[in-house]
């Protein structure tokens, strides 16, 4: 049997969120939260529009998922995020006790791996899903922004 | 000349925010943001009321300060927070490029020092201001909560 709902399928949905951020002039990062193959929350980076450094895609998606679930813990949830989470977002995911994080591109400088941020011991991590696509949209954004200046 | 606006003065204001959290049944942590001896933002922990693990006092205060300033960077700002920030909040403060963080009680387990979270290189840190008062309200909260169960 073919399983249509795999990590690639859901990462494409997160990439769609990154495209929405791109269109708004935001650093294009997108995130979704999935429970039993159902998307319960979507988020994209809104730091410029909201004038708020805390408005990363993951933070929006965590808040939105908790709102949907009516509970602040995201056990049995998977987050798909196009870029490896930063210290802040990994710290938020730690508190959420999320079951699984699937990220696209590595952030070798400011990502949680290099920064040594601790996730919850119950959280599984998968990296590199559609990493090329996730990097490409970020590169496209920074090239465009450089050309505008 | 007596300087009325010292770290103790502002930490008392942060403790007042912690008391507001206490009255709401939240883990009592409070934070304020100060620019040139003026309080521009206040926040207290609201994780239960907002059903959201991201709703720490510091996060509320960062968002509120950016809103007041009309800019997302908190250069020239000082945050007074009753408890040493966690990974998430320290990560948010990293992005904010805040000038100074003054905290009350240490959080030896989940605080950013033990967790090794990186702050912005320009951020100065002072710890232990009214640490006794900040610890006392937390102890009072957990004793009361234990007695209710």
């Amino acid at each position: 049997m073919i399983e249509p709902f795999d990590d690639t399928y859901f990462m494409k949905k997160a990439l769609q969120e990154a495209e929405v951020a791109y269109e708004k002039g935001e650093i294009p990062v997108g995130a979704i939260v999935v429970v039993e193959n159902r998307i319960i929350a979507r988020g994209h980076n809104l730091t410029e529009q909201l004038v708020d450094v805390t408005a990363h895609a993951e933070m929006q998606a965590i808040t939105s998922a908790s709102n949907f679930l009516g509970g602040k813990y995201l056990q049995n949830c998977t987050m798909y995020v196009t870029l490896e989470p930063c210290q802040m977002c990994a710290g938020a995911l730690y508190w959420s006790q999320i079951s699984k994080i699937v990220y696209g591109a590595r952030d070798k400088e400011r990502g949680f791996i290099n920064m040594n941020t601790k996730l919850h011991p119950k959280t599984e991590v998968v990296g590199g899903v559609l990493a090329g696509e996730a990097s490409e949209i970020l590169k496209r954004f920074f090239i465009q922004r450089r050309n505008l200046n």
Side-chain angles (χ1 to χ4, degrees), chain A:
Chain A
M1 204 184 89
I2 294 167
E3 173 53 85
F5 300 119
D6 58 6
D7 284 350
T8 305
Y9 174 86
F10 287 116
M11 189 57 80
K12 280 183 184 163
K13 301 294 182 188
L15 282 163
Q16 285 172 5
E17 285 299 311
E19 285 288 351
V20 177
Y22 182 96
E23 293 301 322
K24 291 178 179 172
E26 301 278 356
I27 294 177
V29 179
I32 62 165
V33 177
V34 173
V35 182
E36 294 175 358
N37 290 333
R38 184 174 167 199
I39 299 172
I40 63 162
R42 291 176 169 83
H44 53 266
N45 180 35
L46 281 173
T47 50
E48 297 302 322
Q49 190 173 311
L50 297 180
V51 194
D52 186 348
V53 296
T54 75
H56 283 191
E58 299 95 314
M59 304 299 277
Q60 315 279 328
I62 290 168
T63 298
S64 176
S66 296
N67 198 35
F68 177 86
L69 294 169
K72 65 191 167 87
Y73 297 116
L74 304 184
Q75 291 142 333
N76 308 315
C77 294
T78 299
M79 174 174 285
Y80 292 84
V81 54
T82 59
L83 182 66
E84 182 194 335
C86 73
Q87 299 187 114
M88 170 180 71
C89 295
L93 289 162
Y94 168 91
W95 289 120
S96 80
Q97 303 183 20
I98 198 162
S99 296
K100 192 174 171 184
I101 301 167
V102 182
Y103 67 85
R106 270 293 299 275
D107 184 348
K108 286 187 182 169
E109 196 190 343
R110 285 166 161 177
F112 76 95
I113 297 170
N114 182 48
M115 289 295 210
N116 237 333
T117 313
K118 278 94 183 163
L119 295 174
H120 194 275
K122 287 181 191 160
T123 304
E124 181 193 348
V125 180
V126 175
V129 174
L130 297 182
E133 286 84 339
S135 291
E136 186 277 326
I137 187 172
L138 283 161
K139 278 180 201 151
R140 181 154 47 95
F141 176 81
F142 287 112
I143 288 167
Q144 191 214 33
R145 199 158 77 163
R146 198 163 55 216
N147 291 343
L148 287 174
N149 288 337

